[in-house]
Amino acid sequence: DTGVSQDPRHKITKRGQNVTFRCDPISEHNRLYWYRQTLGQGPEFLTYFQNEAQLEKSRLLSDRFSAERPKGSFSTLEIQRTEQGDSAMYLCASSLSTDTGELFFGEGSRLTVL
Amino acid sequence: RKEVEQDPGPFNVPEGATVAFNCTYSNSASQSFFWYRQDCRKEPKLLMSVYSSGNEDGRFTAQLNRASQYISLLIRDSKLSDSATYLCAVNGGTSYDKVIFGPGTSLSVIP
C-alpha cells in the first residue's frame, strides 16, 4: 500500500501524559499537513511542511503541540501534557506542491484523553 | 468570521432528488477551490476541483463565484451512495499557502 499511513490508529492516554503520532506520506509528495477533526466538524488545520521546512503553524495551536519532519519524509506530531480537550482524530495528509489542492489523507490517529 | 463556511445541514433528501451545497470563503486572494467527500469514520477524499468556468463530473456540478467568494456543489439524481459529508476546501493565494476546510455539510439520501 503506497498511500499515507499513520500510527498508531488509536491511542488512549491519561490526562497529563505525552503522546506522539507518526505519519508516513506518499513517497514522492513533498508537502505534508496535519489536521485535527472532532465529531461534526471539518478538519482543522494544525501545521504543514514543504519538505523538512515547517511553513506554518496554526495560531490556535497550543505550545504543547509540536511537529517535525526531520528528513522531509515522515513526520511526527507530539502533544505534551495532554488535556481532555485534545481528544480528536488527528489526520495527516500529503500532496505534491504543484497540486496544492488534492490532499491524500491517511486514516487518522484517534486520541482519547481520559 | 471563519475562513470557510458552509451550509450547516444536515440535508435529508429522497433518492433522485437534486441537492445543492453552498460554501463561502473569506480570503479574496484564494486561488484554488475544492470539494471533498468524507464517509462516516473515514478520511476525506477529493471529489472535484472547482474551476472558474464551472465544471461538471457526471451528476456533480461545481460553480465558483469569485466576486461573491462563493462556491457551490450540485448533485443531481441523488443516489443512496451519495450519503456522506461534503467538505469545501480553499487554498490561499500562493503556492505555499495552506488548505483550509469548511465544517462540512452532511447529506443523507433516503430510499
Side-chain angles (χ1 to χ4, degrees), chain A residues 31 33 35 37 40-43 45 48 50 55-56 91 100-103 105-107, chain B residues 2 32 34 36 38 41 43-44 46 87 91 95-104:
Chain A
R31 187 165 289 189
Y33 291 80
Y35 291 88
Q37 188 173 30
Q41 299 298 314
F45 171 79
Y48 78 126
Q50 174 89 1
L55 296 185
E56 186 172 342
L91 292 166
T100 53
E102 184 163 11
L103 305 184
F105 282 86
E107 294 182 300
Chain B
K2 289 186 176 180
S32 305
F34 309 88
Y36 278 74
Q38 186 171 26
R41 299 185 183 280
E43 71 276 19
L46 182 68
L87 298 162
N91 196 317
S95 61
Y96 285 101
D97 219 340
K98 59 187 179 288
V99 178
I100 298 295
F101 286 82

Short mmCIF file of all heavy atoms in Angstrom, two decimals, chain A residues 31 33 35 37 40-43 45 48 50 55-56 91 100-103 105-107, chain B residues 2 32 34 36 38 41 43-44 46 87 91 95-104:
data_model
loop_
_atom_site.label_atom_id
_atom_site.label_comp_id
_atom_site.label_asym_id
_atom_site.label_seq_id
_atom_site.Cartn_x
_atom_site.Cartn_y
_atom_site.Cartn_z
N ARG A 31 4.85 17.81 0.29
CA ARG A 31 4.08 18.62 1.23
C ARG A 31 3.33 17.68 2.18
O ARG A 31 2.75 16.69 1.75
CB ARG A 31 3.12 19.52 0.48
CG ARG A 31 2.42 20.51 1.38
CD ARG A 31 1.77 21.61 0.61
NE ARG A 31 2.76 22.52 0.02
CZ ARG A 31 2.44 23.66 -0.57
NH1 ARG A 31 1.18 24.02 -0.66
NH2 ARG A 31 3.37 24.42 -1.08
N TYR A 33 0.69 17.74 5.69
CA TYR A 33 -0.21 18.51 6.54
C TYR A 33 -0.64 17.69 7.75
O TYR A 33 -0.83 16.47 7.65
CB TYR A 33 -1.50 18.84 5.79
CG TYR A 33 -1.39 19.82 4.65
CD1 TYR A 33 -0.93 19.42 3.40
CD2 TYR A 33 -1.80 21.14 4.81
CE1 TYR A 33 -0.87 20.32 2.35
CE2 TYR A 33 -1.74 22.04 3.77
CZ TYR A 33 -1.28 21.63 2.53
OH TYR A 33 -1.22 22.52 1.50
N TYR A 35 -3.91 17.84 10.45
CA TYR A 35 -5.22 18.41 10.78
C TYR A 35 -5.76 17.68 12.01
O TYR A 35 -5.39 16.55 12.31
CB TYR A 35 -6.23 18.22 9.65
CG TYR A 35 -5.96 19.01 8.40
CD1 TYR A 35 -5.14 18.51 7.39
CD2 TYR A 35 -6.53 20.27 8.22
CE1 TYR A 35 -4.90 19.24 6.24
CE2 TYR A 35 -6.30 21.01 7.06
CZ TYR A 35 -5.48 20.48 6.08
OH TYR A 35 -5.24 21.21 4.94
N GLN A 37 -9.61 16.75 13.74
CA GLN A 37 -11.04 16.74 13.45
C GLN A 37 -11.81 16.15 14.62
O GLN A 37 -11.47 15.10 15.15
CB GLN A 37 -11.32 15.92 12.18
CG GLN A 37 -12.77 16.03 11.72
CD GLN A 37 -13.01 15.36 10.38
OE1 GLN A 37 -12.35 14.39 10.02
NE2 GLN A 37 -13.96 15.89 9.62
N GLY A 40 -18.51 15.99 13.84
CA GLY A 40 -19.40 17.01 13.29
C GLY A 40 -18.69 18.24 12.77
O GLY A 40 -19.35 19.20 12.34
N GLN A 41 -17.38 18.23 12.80
CA GLN A 41 -16.61 19.38 12.32
C GLN A 41 -15.73 18.98 11.15
O GLN A 41 -15.40 17.80 10.97
CB GLN A 41 -15.74 19.94 13.44
CG GLN A 41 -16.51 20.44 14.65
CD GLN A 41 -17.43 21.58 14.30
OE1 GLN A 41 -17.05 22.53 13.60
NE2 GLN A 41 -18.68 21.51 14.75
N GLY A 42 -15.30 19.97 10.38
CA GLY A 42 -14.36 19.69 9.32
C GLY A 42 -12.95 19.60 9.87
O GLY A 42 -12.70 19.95 11.04
N PRO A 43 -12.00 19.14 9.07
CA PRO A 43 -10.61 19.11 9.52
C PRO A 43 -10.11 20.51 9.84
O PRO A 43 -10.26 21.43 9.03
CB PRO A 43 -9.88 18.51 8.31
CG PRO A 43 -10.92 17.78 7.53
CD PRO A 43 -12.17 18.58 7.71
N PHE A 45 -6.98 22.92 10.47
CA PHE A 45 -5.56 22.99 10.13
C PHE A 45 -4.71 23.15 11.38
O PHE A 45 -4.99 23.97 12.25
CB PHE A 45 -5.34 24.18 9.19
CG PHE A 45 -3.89 24.50 8.95
CD1 PHE A 45 -3.16 23.75 8.05
CD2 PHE A 45 -3.28 25.54 9.61
CE1 PHE A 45 -1.82 24.04 7.83
CE2 PHE A 45 -1.95 25.84 9.40
CZ PHE A 45 -1.22 25.08 8.49
N TYR A 48 1.81 22.61 8.53
CA TYR A 48 2.20 21.89 7.34
C TYR A 48 3.66 22.15 6.98
O TYR A 48 4.27 23.13 7.44
CB TYR A 48 1.27 22.17 6.16
CG TYR A 48 1.43 23.47 5.41
CD1 TYR A 48 1.61 23.47 4.03
CD2 TYR A 48 1.30 24.68 6.06
CE1 TYR A 48 1.69 24.66 3.32
CE2 TYR A 48 1.39 25.87 5.36
CZ TYR A 48 1.58 25.86 3.99
OH TYR A 48 1.66 27.04 3.30
N GLN A 50 6.77 21.83 3.86
CA GLN A 50 7.24 21.68 2.49
C GLN A 50 8.62 21.06 2.66
O GLN A 50 9.55 21.72 3.15
CB GLN A 50 7.34 23.04 1.80
CG GLN A 50 7.95 22.99 0.43
CD GLN A 50 6.94 22.76 -0.67
OE1 GLN A 50 5.74 22.64 -0.42
NE2 GLN A 50 7.40 22.71 -1.90
N LEU A 55 6.17 25.34 7.28
CA LEU A 55 5.81 26.62 6.68
C LEU A 55 4.86 27.43 7.55
O LEU A 55 4.89 28.65 7.52
CB LEU A 55 5.19 26.39 5.30
CG LEU A 55 6.11 25.76 4.25
CD1 LEU A 55 5.43 25.70 2.90
CD2 LEU A 55 7.43 26.51 4.16
N GLU A 56 4.00 26.76 8.26
CA GLU A 56 3.03 27.49 9.08
C GLU A 56 2.49 26.59 10.16
O GLU A 56 2.35 25.38 9.98
CB GLU A 56 1.87 28.02 8.22
CG GLU A 56 0.91 28.92 8.98
CD GLU A 56 -0.11 29.60 8.09
OE1 GLU A 56 0.09 29.66 6.87
OE2 GLU A 56 -1.13 30.07 8.63
N LEU A 91 -5.45 13.88 11.69
CA LEU A 91 -5.32 13.46 10.30
C LEU A 91 -4.05 14.01 9.69
O LEU A 91 -3.72 15.19 9.87
CB LEU A 91 -6.51 13.96 9.48
CG LEU A 91 -7.88 13.37 9.78
CD1 LEU A 91 -8.98 14.21 9.14
CD2 LEU A 91 -7.96 11.93 9.28
N THR A 100 -1.72 21.81 -5.22
CA THR A 100 -1.90 22.13 -3.81
C THR A 100 -3.26 21.79 -3.25
O THR A 100 -3.45 21.84 -2.06
CB THR A 100 -1.65 23.63 -3.59
OG1 THR A 100 -2.46 24.36 -4.50
CG2 THR A 100 -0.20 23.98 -3.82
N GLY A 101 -4.19 21.45 -4.08
CA GLY A 101 -5.50 21.16 -3.53
C GLY A 101 -5.77 19.71 -3.26
O GLY A 101 -6.55 19.39 -2.38
N GLU A 102 -5.17 18.83 -4.04
CA GLU A 102 -5.50 17.44 -3.85
C GLU A 102 -4.63 16.85 -2.75
O GLU A 102 -3.48 16.48 -2.97
CB GLU A 102 -5.35 16.62 -5.12
CG GLU A 102 -5.79 15.18 -4.89
CD GLU A 102 -6.06 14.41 -6.15
OE1 GLU A 102 -5.69 14.90 -7.24
OE2 GLU A 102 -6.62 13.31 -6.05
N LEU A 103 -5.23 16.78 -1.59
CA LEU A 103 -4.56 16.19 -0.45
C LEU A 103 -4.97 14.72 -0.36
O LEU A 103 -6.14 14.39 -0.54
CB LEU A 103 -4.96 16.90 0.84
CG LEU A 103 -4.73 18.41 0.90
CD1 LEU A 103 -5.07 18.94 2.28
CD2 LEU A 103 -3.32 18.76 0.52
N PHE A 105 -5.22 11.82 2.27
CA PHE A 105 -5.26 11.68 3.72
C PHE A 105 -4.95 10.25 4.15
O PHE A 105 -5.27 9.28 3.46
CB PHE A 105 -6.65 12.03 4.25
CG PHE A 105 -6.92 13.50 4.34
CD1 PHE A 105 -7.40 14.19 3.25
CD2 PHE A 105 -6.68 14.18 5.52
CE1 PHE A 105 -7.66 15.55 3.32
CE2 PHE A 105 -6.94 15.55 5.61
CZ PHE A 105 -7.42 16.23 4.50
N GLY A 106 -4.35 10.16 5.32
CA GLY A 106 -4.25 8.88 6.00
C GLY A 106 -5.57 8.60 6.71
O GLY A 106 -6.48 9.45 6.72
N GLU A 107 -5.65 7.43 7.33
CA GLU A 107 -6.89 7.05 8.01
C GLU A 107 -7.02 7.71 9.38
O GLU A 107 -8.06 7.61 10.01
CB GLU A 107 -6.96 5.54 8.14
CG GLU A 107 -7.09 4.84 6.78
CD GLU A 107 -7.20 3.35 6.92
OE1 GLU A 107 -6.26 2.73 7.46
OE2 GLU A 107 -8.22 2.79 6.49
N LYS B 2 -15.18 32.76 10.25
CA LYS B 2 -14.37 31.62 9.86
C LYS B 2 -13.91 31.79 8.42
O LYS B 2 -14.56 32.42 7.60
CB LYS B 2 -15.20 30.34 10.00
CG LYS B 2 -15.47 29.94 11.44
CD LYS B 2 -16.15 28.60 11.52
CE LYS B 2 -16.32 28.19 12.98
NZ LYS B 2 -16.97 26.87 13.09
N SER B 32 -7.45 28.45 -5.32
CA SER B 32 -7.83 27.07 -5.60
C SER B 32 -8.96 26.64 -4.68
O SER B 32 -8.95 26.95 -3.49
CB SER B 32 -6.63 26.14 -5.39
OG SER B 32 -5.52 26.57 -6.17
N PHE B 34 -12.01 23.45 -3.82
CA PHE B 34 -12.22 22.02 -3.96
C PHE B 34 -13.42 21.56 -3.16
O PHE B 34 -13.77 22.18 -2.15
CB PHE B 34 -10.99 21.25 -3.47
CG PHE B 34 -9.72 21.74 -4.09
CD1 PHE B 34 -9.02 22.78 -3.52
CD2 PHE B 34 -9.24 21.19 -5.25
CE1 PHE B 34 -7.86 23.28 -4.09
CE2 PHE B 34 -8.08 21.66 -5.84
CZ PHE B 34 -7.39 22.71 -5.26
N TYR B 36 -14.45 18.04 -1.17
CA TYR B 36 -14.03 16.73 -0.69
C TYR B 36 -15.26 16.02 -0.16
O TYR B 36 -16.21 16.64 0.32
CB TYR B 36 -13.01 16.87 0.45
CG TYR B 36 -11.59 17.10 -0.01
CD1 TYR B 36 -11.21 18.34 -0.50
CD2 TYR B 36 -10.65 16.09 0.05
CE1 TYR B 36 -9.90 18.55 -0.93
CE2 TYR B 36 -9.34 16.29 -0.36
CZ TYR B 36 -8.98 17.53 -0.85
OH TYR B 36 -7.69 17.74 -1.26
N GLN B 38 -16.40 12.99 2.60
CA GLN B 38 -15.94 12.20 3.74
C GLN B 38 -17.06 11.27 4.18
O GLN B 38 -18.12 11.72 4.63
CB GLN B 38 -15.51 13.10 4.91
CG GLN B 38 -14.89 12.31 6.07
CD GLN B 38 -14.28 13.21 7.13
OE1 GLN B 38 -14.68 14.36 7.30
NE2 GLN B 38 -13.29 12.71 7.86
N ARG B 41 -16.65 7.95 9.50
CA ARG B 41 -15.49 7.30 10.10
C ARG B 41 -14.38 6.99 9.09
O ARG B 41 -13.55 6.10 9.31
CB ARG B 41 -15.90 6.02 10.83
CG ARG B 41 -16.88 6.27 11.97
CD ARG B 41 -17.17 5.00 12.74
NE ARG B 41 -18.15 5.21 13.78
CZ ARG B 41 -17.89 5.75 14.97
NH1 ARG B 41 -16.66 6.11 15.27
NH2 ARG B 41 -18.85 5.90 15.86
N GLU B 43 -11.50 8.87 6.07
CA GLU B 43 -10.78 10.09 5.78
C GLU B 43 -11.41 10.83 4.61
O GLU B 43 -12.05 10.22 3.75
CB GLU B 43 -9.30 9.78 5.49
CG GLU B 43 -9.03 9.07 4.17
CD GLU B 43 -9.19 7.58 4.24
OE1 GLU B 43 -9.84 7.06 5.17
OE2 GLU B 43 -8.66 6.92 3.33
N PRO B 44 -11.20 12.14 4.51
CA PRO B 44 -11.71 12.89 3.36
C PRO B 44 -11.01 12.47 2.07
O PRO B 44 -9.82 12.14 2.07
CB PRO B 44 -11.37 14.35 3.70
CG PRO B 44 -11.12 14.37 5.16
CD PRO B 44 -10.55 13.03 5.49
N LEU B 46 -10.79 13.67 -2.21
CA LEU B 46 -11.14 14.70 -3.17
C LEU B 46 -12.29 14.23 -4.07
O LEU B 46 -12.23 13.17 -4.67
CB LEU B 46 -9.93 15.05 -4.04
CG LEU B 46 -10.17 16.16 -5.06
CD1 LEU B 46 -10.37 17.50 -4.35
CD2 LEU B 46 -9.01 16.26 -6.04
N LEU B 87 -17.20 18.42 2.16
CA LEU B 87 -16.32 19.44 2.72
C LEU B 87 -15.84 20.37 1.62
O LEU B 87 -15.31 19.91 0.60
CB LEU B 87 -15.10 18.79 3.36
CG LEU B 87 -15.35 17.84 4.54
CD1 LEU B 87 -14.12 16.95 4.77
CD2 LEU B 87 -15.66 18.63 5.79
N ASN B 91 -7.64 26.94 -0.92
CA ASN B 91 -6.22 27.22 -0.79
C ASN B 91 -6.03 28.72 -0.77
O ASN B 91 -6.89 29.47 -1.23
CB ASN B 91 -5.50 26.61 -1.99
CG ASN B 91 -4.02 26.49 -1.76
OD1 ASN B 91 -3.40 27.39 -1.24
ND2 ASN B 91 -3.46 25.37 -2.12
N SER B 95 1.33 29.54 -3.85
CA SER B 95 1.55 28.10 -3.94
C SER B 95 2.01 27.52 -2.62
O SER B 95 1.97 26.33 -2.41
CB SER B 95 2.57 27.79 -5.03
OG SER B 95 3.81 28.40 -4.71
N TYR B 96 2.44 28.38 -1.69
CA TYR B 96 2.89 27.90 -0.39
C TYR B 96 1.79 27.95 0.65
O TYR B 96 2.02 27.64 1.80
CB TYR B 96 4.08 28.72 0.11
CG TYR B 96 5.36 28.38 -0.62
CD1 TYR B 96 5.83 29.18 -1.63
CD2 TYR B 96 6.05 27.22 -0.29
CE1 TYR B 96 6.99 28.86 -2.29
CE2 TYR B 96 7.21 26.88 -0.95
CZ TYR B 96 7.68 27.71 -1.95
OH TYR B 96 8.82 27.38 -2.61
N ASP B 97 0.60 28.33 0.24
CA ASP B 97 -0.44 28.53 1.25
C ASP B 97 -1.15 27.24 1.61
O ASP B 97 -1.22 26.30 0.82
CB ASP B 97 -1.44 29.57 0.77
CG ASP B 97 -1.88 30.47 1.90
OD1 ASP B 97 -1.73 30.07 3.07
OD2 ASP B 97 -2.37 31.57 1.62
N LYS B 98 -1.67 27.21 2.78
CA LYS B 98 -2.29 26.01 3.34
C LYS B 98 -3.68 25.81 2.74
O LYS B 98 -4.27 26.70 2.15
CB LYS B 98 -2.41 26.15 4.85
CG LYS B 98 -3.23 27.36 5.30
CD LYS B 98 -3.16 27.54 6.79
CE LYS B 98 -3.96 28.75 7.23
NZ LYS B 98 -3.27 30.01 6.85
N VAL B 99 -4.19 24.61 2.94
CA VAL B 99 -5.56 24.26 2.54
C VAL B 99 -6.44 24.28 3.78
O VAL B 99 -6.14 23.62 4.77
CB VAL B 99 -5.60 22.87 1.88
CG1 VAL B 99 -7.04 22.50 1.51
CG2 VAL B 99 -4.72 22.84 0.64
N ILE B 100 -7.51 25.06 3.70
CA ILE B 100 -8.44 25.20 4.82
C ILE B 100 -9.76 24.56 4.44
O ILE B 100 -10.26 24.77 3.33
CB ILE B 100 -8.66 26.69 5.15
CG1 ILE B 100 -7.35 27.34 5.59
CG2 ILE B 100 -9.71 26.85 6.25
CD1 ILE B 100 -6.79 26.79 6.88
N PHE B 101 -10.31 23.83 5.37
CA PHE B 101 -11.58 23.14 5.14
C PHE B 101 -12.72 23.84 5.87
O PHE B 101 -12.54 24.41 6.95
CB PHE B 101 -11.50 21.69 5.64
CG PHE B 101 -10.68 20.80 4.77
CD1 PHE B 101 -9.29 20.77 4.88
CD2 PHE B 101 -11.29 20.00 3.82
CE1 PHE B 101 -8.53 19.96 4.06
CE2 PHE B 101 -10.54 19.17 3.00
CZ PHE B 101 -9.15 19.15 3.12
N GLY B 102 -13.89 23.75 5.28
CA GLY B 102 -15.09 24.19 5.97
C GLY B 102 -15.55 23.11 6.93
O GLY B 102 -14.98 22.02 6.99
N PRO B 103 -16.62 23.39 7.67
CA PRO B 103 -17.11 22.45 8.68
C PRO B 103 -17.83 21.24 8.09
O PRO B 103 -18.05 20.25 8.79
CB PRO B 103 -18.08 23.30 9.51
CG PRO B 103 -18.49 24.39 8.61
CD PRO B 103 -17.33 24.67 7.71
N GLY B 104 -18.16 21.32 6.81
CA GLY B 104 -18.83 20.19 6.18
C GLY B 104 -20.34 20.27 6.25
O GLY B 104 -20.90 20.88 7.17
#
